[in-house]
Amino acid sequence: MKKTAVFAVFMFLFSAIFVYASKPKTTIKILPAGTITVDGSLDDWKKAGIKPIVLNKKEQLTHGALDWDGTSGSGEVYVAFTNDKFYMAANITSPKGMYNNNPGKDMWNGNAVEIFLGFDNSNPTREMYTESDYQIGFSPGRVLKDGTRRVPAEIYSFNMITSITEGDEKYGKIKAKATKNGYLLEAEIEADFFDAWYVQDGLDIGFDISIDDVGPKSVARQIQFTWSGYKESWKDPAGWGIAILKE
């Protein structure tokens, strides 16, 4: 019985190590305060030497593989921290551009970017969200062809069930603008929003990105790319990748 128990523990640890080693990895910079200004431009990011995470591979499609036209919903996503803020920017290829009729908890069903953060990654194979895990959505809102804005751009925390940019308490800001091939997003979130905020050089955190897109003809989500290639990231952190924070 003891040998069986020891073997079971060994196999569990071996499996955990294998899963950890197989996760996609990236590096996220911790920047000095004031490096990034949320103005709808990528100039600050490029000046700071931030390289984007690219989502454009067929194996990263986690929804709508049969509907993909080869470009819709692909994009480049930039991420960074300072000691008191989280920043993101995204340059998305999308035939409908700033097209999301769904504010708040339903923004996943339109053009949007989702970022997953797990500040305590001591158990990288956890299968349920803990108090240190976050799913954050970034929507460009809806802008008509004549330039009239119908739905505002928004940041929303799905697992906290709260808007970060709407309502009485605002913890972030977001800018969205149309581009020739889609749209560009840039946003920041204050550290005070995250109860589990912890940023330190060398720390590895749970991390993933999804891009949702309505495609060329629909009004609801048809395509989704996910950096890790794991389609259950919205509910299961076990499939998230890993980001190492570096000053």
Side-chain angles (χ1 to χ4, degrees), residues 110-227:
N111 285 357
V113 176
E114 303 175 41
I115 293 182
F116 306 82
L117 300 170
F119 289 102
D120 180 358
N121 207 34
S122 56
N123 178 15
T125 60
R126 62 194 180 282
E127 296 180 349
M128 295 182 65
Y129 276 54
T130 69
E131 64 276 4
S132 64
D133 296 320
Y134 299 87
Q135 178 192 10
I136 310 292
F138 303 83
S139 167
R142 172 83 186 278
V143 175
L144 304 181
K145 291 182 179 179
D146 63 5
T148 302
R149 178 167 284 282
R150 175 168 288 182
V151 179
E154 184 183 4
I155 310 173
Y156 185 85
S157 174
F158 292 97
N159 61 304
M160 301 294 287
I161 318 176
T162 186
S163 178
I164 297 173
T165 51
E166 300 292 322
D168 295 334
E169 289 190 276
K170 297 178 176 62
Y171 289 94
K173 65 172 66 173
I174 184 170
K175 295 284 186 182
K177 71 176 185 181
T179 63
K180 181 180 179 181
N181 297 315
Y183 65 94
L184 189 148
L185 287 174
E186 190 174 27
E188 68 178 38
I189 304 174
E190 298 172 8
D192 287 346
F193 174 77
F194 302 96
D195 289 340
W197 178 270
Y198 182 53
V199 173
Q200 178 177 296
D201 183 46
L203 178 72
D204 70 73
I205 64 172
F207 179 73
D208 214 344
I209 301 171
S210 289
I211 300 174
D212 305 310
D213 195 84
V214 299
K217 298 179 180 179
S218 181
V219 297
R221 187 184 71 180
Q222 297 297 305
I223 304 293
Q224 184 186 65
F225 279 90
T226 301
W227 176 59

Side-chain angles (χ1 to χ4, degrees), residues 85-125:
K85 288 182 181 179
F86 171 77
Y87 290 88
M88 69 80 71
N91 189 11
I92 306 299
T93 299
S94 175
K96 284 199 170 183
M98 292 192 290
Y99 195 100
N100 195 323
N101 287 315
N102 305 299
K105 63 182 178 62
D106 296 317
M107 69 168 60
W108 61 270
N109 203 24
N111 285 357
V113 176
E114 303 175 41
I115 293 182
F116 306 82
L117 300 170
F119 289 102
D120 180 358
N121 207 34
S122 56
N123 178 15
T125 60

Side-chain angles (χ1 to χ4, degrees), residues 37-58:
T37 300
V38 178
D39 55 7
S41 169
L42 296 176
D43 291 347
D44 291 343
W45 296 87
K46 294 176 180 178
K47 186 177 180 180
I50 306 296
K51 295 181 180 180
I53 296 169
V54 180
L55 288 81
N56 63 0
K57 299 176 182 177
K58 194 167 184 178

